[in-house]
Amino acid sequence: MQRALAVLLRPLCRVLLRHSVSFGAFEDIAKRVYVQVAIEEFGIPGKKPSISRASILSGLTRKEVQRLLTEPEEEPGADTSDRYNRAARVLTGWVRDPDFIEASGEPRRIEVEGERGFTALVRRHSGDMPARAVLDELVRVGAVKQHHDGSLELITHAYVPQRSPADKLGILGTDVADLIATIDHNLQHGATDPRYQRKVMYHSIPVDALPTFRKLSAAHSQALLEKFDRWLAEHDTDIKPGQPRARVGVGIHYFEEPVDTDQTQAGDSA
């Protein structure tokens, strides 16, 4: 576990140092989360969560646990998660909804208003979110282009923040947390209820071949995710009160790093 943690923390520490997050700030966040998880997820059935048990599990003193539980948590900044989800749903609707695509299957260029305009698209696929706020966000990240005549063109099928560090850091939190949660589930229940978690990796690919593979992997990954999206969208319906539901998805990511040419190995997959 310690070796795995050291490997996990290297890229995280790189991000933290690049954004001037000191060890003290990281330590305080880690302490608070340790206590929250201990209280919320590691209680003894039938017993009320206690400061003493959180202290034992976390290794922190009772005084420190008490402070972390009573001290108000710093108010977070703008919630990028909701904006991310709503913007993504609008783009999905634009490429999937028959009212907003051409006969060829390509997304139509649309007006802001009108029965098949952007406002109607937002109302249909993003609830009560103001259409102007969604449009400004999609234009800001480069997903939508507004032409001089006022019409809107879809530039990319996916909502990927291009210019906002805050949004990108928000994705760091959610996407990495999802991967770790899947690994944790498989460690506990992989023999009886495994969740899909695979990667393919080779150690000796010529650097000049990487641009081709980047394009190939991006195209096929996007096609696969859009296929999954269509299935999930068909099953994402209103649920009756009390009916169980789940947040579910599939994530794909590309990675590469330089390799010491004196220590190359044969390719493998896992």
Side-chain angles (χ1 to χ4, degrees):
M1 176 60 77
Q2 290 178 349
R3 286 195 297 269
L5 185 59
V7 172
L8 167 66
L9 284 176
R10 285 190 67 86
L12 177 59
C13 287
R14 190 181 303 130
V15 174
L16 295 177
L17 290 170
R18 188 176 294 121
H19 289 84
S20 302
V21 178
S22 69
F23 175 76
F26 171 76
E27 181 184 35
D28 193 60
I29 295 170
K31 285 180 179 180
R32 188 178 297 277
V33 175
Y34 250 75
V35 171
Q36 289 174 345
V37 173
I39 289 289
E40 296 169 7
E41 301 183 30
F42 285 82
I44 298 175
K47 291 188 176 183
K48 185 178 179 180
S50 68
I51 291 176
S52 295
R53 178 163 173 78
S55 174
I56 292 171
L57 290 173
S58 66
L60 300 172
T61 65
R62 284 173 48 86
K63 183 178 180 180
E64 185 76 347
V65 172
Q66 179 71 44
R67 178 185 72 82
L68 292 167
L69 290 174
T70 57
E71 207 173 68
E73 215 172 330
E74 184 178 343
E75 286 295 321
D79 182 8
T80 61
S81 178
D82 184 58
R83 184 168 70 250
Y84 178 93
N85 291 331
R86 287 175 179 266
R89 288 202 299 269
V90 170
L91 294 186
T92 297
W94 201 338
V95 300
R96 179 176 50 83
D97 193 320
D99 287 341
F100 298 93
I101 57 178
E102 304 284 3
S104 62
E106 291 298 312
R108 293 175 45 238
R109 183 184 290 193
I110 59 178
E111 303 296 327
V112 175
E113 303 296 340
E115 185 178 346
R116 296 185 179 182
F118 186 80
T119 299
L121 173 68
V122 172
R123 189 180 303 117
R124 185 177 301 182
H125 294 283
S126 193
D128 58 356
M129 191 73 169
R132 173 50 60 179
V134 178
L135 177 58
D136 289 345
E137 173 67 8
L138 294 179
V139 170
R140 183 179 68 85
V141 301
V144 173
K145 178 179 180 180
Q146 185 161 24
H147 293 272
H148 293 299
D149 62 1
S151 63
L152 306 173
E153 180 184 3
L154 184 63
I155 302 301
T156 176
H157 292 191
Y159 173 57
V160 180
Q162 301 288 335
R163 303 163 192 165
S164 170
D167 286 356
K168 292 178 181 179
L169 289 173
I171 294 174
L172 164 68
T174 56
D175 287 11
V176 175
D178 286 340
L179 175 58
I180 293 176
T182 293
I183 294 172
D184 179 44
H185 174 89
N186 286 339
L187 287 172
Q188 298 183 76
H189 311 291
T192 56
D193 181 29
R195 292 179 183 171
Y196 191 82
Q197 175 207 335
R198 297 287 187 276
K199 70 180 180 184
V200 60
M201 177 179 65
Y202 283 75
H203 295 273
S204 189
I205 303 299
V207 171
D208 57 7
L210 297 182
T212 300
F213 183 66
R214 289 190 198 114
K215 292 180 181 179
L216 175 69
S217 60
H220 284 275
S221 296
Q222 182 65 27
L224 179 60
L225 289 176
E226 289 182 10
K227 181 178 180 179
F228 289 155
D229 179 78
R230 287 191 292 272
W231 189 96
L232 290 170
E234 292 173 1
H235 293 78
D236 185 29
T237 58
D238 293 333
I239 296 178
K240 299 177 182 177
Q243 183 179 355
R245 63 176 181 172
R247 171 178 167 269
V248 62
V250 174
I252 301 174
H253 70 280
Y254 170 94
F255 61 91
E256 69 176 58
E257 63 178 352
V259 175
D260 187 340
T261 55
D262 294 330
Q263 298 181 359
T264 55
Q265 304 174 28
D268 68 331
S269 61

